[in-house]
Amino acid sequence: MTDQTPVQPAPKVLGGLTPYLQVDGAFKAAEFYKKAFGAEQVFAYPPDEKGRTMHIHLYINGSTLMLGDAYPEHGHPHQNPQGYTMQLHLQDDTIESWWQRAIDAGCAEVVPLQVMFWGDRWGQLRDPFGVAWAMNAPVK
Protein backbone atom coordinates (compact mmCIF):
# COMPACT_ATOMS: atom_id res chain seq x y z
CA MET A 1 0.00 0.00 0.00
CA THR A 2 1.23 3.49 -0.87
CA ASP A 3 1.66 6.01 1.94
CA GLN A 4 -1.03 8.68 1.41
CA THR A 5 0.26 11.04 4.09
CA PRO A 6 0.24 14.65 2.82
CA VAL A 7 3.69 16.18 2.35
CA GLN A 8 2.60 19.46 3.95
CA PRO A 9 -0.24 20.61 6.21
CA ALA A 10 -3.59 21.17 4.49
CA PRO A 11 -4.18 24.88 3.75
CA LYS A 12 -7.38 26.77 4.49
CA VAL A 13 -10.11 26.45 1.87
CA LEU A 14 -11.18 29.94 0.76
CA GLY A 15 -14.83 30.54 -0.09
CA GLY A 16 -17.94 28.44 0.32
CA LEU A 17 -17.90 26.66 -3.06
CA THR A 18 -14.74 25.14 -4.49
CA PRO A 19 -14.33 24.29 -8.17
CA TYR A 20 -12.35 21.07 -8.66
CA LEU A 21 -10.94 20.61 -12.16
CA GLN A 22 -9.79 17.30 -13.61
CA VAL A 23 -7.22 18.15 -16.27
CA ASP A 24 -4.70 16.27 -18.36
CA GLY A 25 -1.50 17.40 -16.63
CA ALA A 26 -2.39 18.92 -13.25
CA PHE A 27 1.17 20.00 -12.42
CA LYS A 28 1.49 21.72 -15.82
CA ALA A 29 -1.91 23.36 -15.35
CA ALA A 30 -0.92 24.64 -11.89
CA GLU A 31 2.25 26.18 -13.36
CA PHE A 32 0.22 27.73 -16.16
CA TYR A 33 -2.34 29.16 -13.72
CA LYS A 34 0.50 30.78 -11.77
CA LYS A 35 1.56 32.64 -14.93
CA ALA A 36 -1.90 33.36 -16.33
CA PHE A 37 -3.90 34.15 -13.20
CA GLY A 38 -1.36 34.80 -10.44
CA ALA A 39 -2.20 31.51 -8.71
CA GLU A 40 -0.41 30.51 -5.54
CA GLN A 41 0.08 26.76 -5.03
CA VAL A 42 -0.55 26.03 -1.36
CA PHE A 43 -0.71 22.22 -1.39
CA ALA A 44 0.01 19.27 -3.65
CA TYR A 45 0.29 15.55 -3.30
CA PRO A 46 3.52 14.29 -4.84
CA PRO A 47 3.43 12.82 -8.34
CA ASP A 48 2.90 9.10 -8.84
CA GLU A 49 5.12 6.94 -11.07
CA LYS A 50 3.30 8.33 -14.15
CA GLY A 51 3.78 11.98 -13.09
CA ARG A 52 0.13 12.43 -12.09
CA THR A 53 -1.24 13.89 -8.90
CA MET A 54 -4.60 13.37 -7.29
CA HIS A 55 -4.71 16.83 -5.74
CA ILE A 56 -3.33 20.35 -6.07
CA HIS A 57 -4.75 23.28 -4.10
CA LEU A 58 -4.37 26.80 -5.50
CA TYR A 59 -5.40 30.26 -4.40
CA ILE A 60 -6.52 32.60 -7.19
CA ASN A 61 -7.96 36.06 -6.60
CA GLY A 62 -8.90 35.28 -2.99
CA SER A 63 -10.54 31.94 -3.78
CA THR A 64 -9.62 28.28 -3.79
CA LEU A 65 -9.25 26.22 -6.97
CA MET A 66 -8.44 22.52 -6.74
CA LEU A 67 -7.28 20.28 -9.55
CA GLY A 68 -6.03 16.81 -10.23
CA ASP A 69 -5.20 14.38 -13.00
CA ALA A 70 -7.41 11.66 -14.41
CA TYR A 71 -7.11 8.17 -12.93
CA PRO A 72 -8.93 5.88 -15.37
CA GLU A 73 -7.83 2.79 -13.43
CA HIS A 74 -9.87 4.10 -10.49
CA GLY A 75 -12.96 5.07 -12.49
CA HIS A 76 -11.92 8.65 -13.29
CA PRO A 77 -11.00 8.82 -17.00
CA HIS A 78 -9.99 12.07 -18.62
CA GLN A 79 -12.90 14.06 -20.01
CA ASN A 80 -12.54 17.25 -21.99
CA PRO A 81 -13.92 20.32 -20.18
CA GLN A 82 -17.32 21.43 -21.39
CA GLY A 83 -20.39 23.29 -20.26
CA TYR A 84 -18.87 25.48 -17.56
CA THR A 85 -16.80 28.66 -17.19
CA MET A 86 -14.44 29.70 -14.41
CA GLN A 87 -15.30 33.36 -13.76
CA LEU A 88 -12.99 35.87 -12.12
CA HIS A 89 -14.70 38.84 -10.46
CA LEU A 90 -12.34 41.79 -10.69
CA GLN A 91 -12.27 45.57 -10.36
CA ASP A 92 -12.52 47.90 -13.34
CA ASP A 93 -9.01 49.25 -12.66
CA THR A 94 -7.43 45.75 -12.68
CA ILE A 95 -9.32 43.78 -15.34
CA GLU A 96 -7.09 44.94 -18.21
CA SER A 97 -3.89 43.74 -16.50
CA TRP A 98 -5.49 40.40 -15.55
CA TRP A 99 -6.70 39.97 -19.15
CA GLN A 100 -3.34 40.81 -20.70
CA ARG A 101 -1.42 38.54 -18.30
CA ALA A 102 -3.70 35.62 -19.27
CA ILE A 103 -3.28 36.33 -23.00
CA ASP A 104 0.50 36.68 -22.62
CA ALA A 105 0.65 33.35 -20.75
CA GLY A 106 -1.11 31.54 -23.60
CA CYS A 107 -4.88 31.83 -23.13
CA ALA A 108 -6.87 32.22 -26.35
CA GLU A 109 -9.44 34.99 -26.62
CA VAL A 110 -12.96 33.62 -27.18
CA VAL A 111 -15.05 36.75 -26.51
CA PRO A 112 -13.16 40.08 -26.43
CA LEU A 113 -13.23 42.09 -23.22
CA GLN A 114 -16.08 44.60 -23.64
CA VAL A 115 -18.94 46.36 -21.88
CA MET A 116 -21.88 43.95 -21.97
CA PHE A 117 -25.63 44.58 -21.99
CA TRP A 118 -25.80 44.14 -18.20
CA GLY A 119 -23.35 47.03 -17.74
CA ASP A 120 -20.15 45.21 -16.67
CA ARG A 121 -16.95 44.64 -18.63
CA TRP A 122 -16.75 40.95 -19.50
CA GLY A 123 -14.74 38.68 -21.77
CA GLN A 124 -13.96 35.01 -22.14
CA LEU A 125 -10.71 33.09 -22.69
CA ARG A 126 -9.79 29.42 -23.11
CA ASP A 127 -6.66 28.04 -21.50
CA PRO A 128 -4.38 25.41 -23.12
CA PHE A 129 -6.14 22.69 -21.07
CA GLY A 130 -9.50 23.52 -22.66
CA VAL A 131 -10.96 25.30 -19.62
CA ALA A 132 -13.08 28.40 -20.29
CA TRP A 133 -12.29 31.44 -18.12
CA ALA A 134 -14.26 34.67 -17.99
CA MET A 135 -13.40 37.98 -16.40
CA ASN A 136 -16.04 40.38 -15.14
CA ALA A 137 -15.72 43.86 -13.60
CA PRO A 138 -18.23 46.59 -12.85
CA VAL A 139 -17.78 49.72 -14.97
CA LYS A 140 -17.02 52.80 -12.88
Side-chain angles (χ1 to χ4, degrees):
M1 181 169 173
T2 306
D3 180 15
Q4 295 297 313
T5 305
V7 295
Q8 64 241 30
K12 181 178 179 180
V13 175
L14 304 178
L17 177 66
T18 302
Y20 206 114
L21 301 178
Q22 179 266 310
V23 295
D24 186 17
F27 283 116
K28 288 180 185 176
E31 288 303 310
F32 180 81
Y33 295 155
K34 289 175 188 178
K35 292 176 190 159
F37 305 115
E40 175 190 357
Q41 183 175 309
V42 294
F43 185 90
Y45 275 102
D48 68 8
E49 66 283 348
K50 295 180 181 178
R52 305 172 301 178
T53 184
M54 61 180 268
H55 181 72
I56 297 175
H57 186 153
L58 304 174
Y59 290 157
I60 299 177
N61 191 36
S63 297
T64 286
L65 172 65
M66 296 182 183
L67 52 140
D69 285 290
Y71 282 83
E73 68 274 24
H74 296 294
H76 299 281
H78 177 67
Q79 297 177 1
N80 290 328
Q82 61 182 354
Y84 65 88
T85 301
M86 307 298 293
Q87 182 144 310
L88 293 162
H89 296 274
L90 305 165
Q91 299 302 313
D92 192 41
D93 60 347
T94 64
I95 194 169
E96 288 287 343
S97 61
W98 277 78
W99 185 265
Q100 193 59 51
R101 178 177 57 193
I103 294 289
D104 291 346
C107 284
E109 186 175 81
V110 176
V111 177
L113 192 58
Q114 59 193 292
V115 177
M116 301 302 284
F117 66 90
W118 61 86
D120 289 350
R121 292 182 73 204
W122 185 89
Q124 188 180 64
L125 306 160
R126 185 162 314 280
D127 73 26
F129 301 89
V131 178
W133 292 81
M135 295 186 190
N136 192 89
V139 175
K140 290 187 179 183

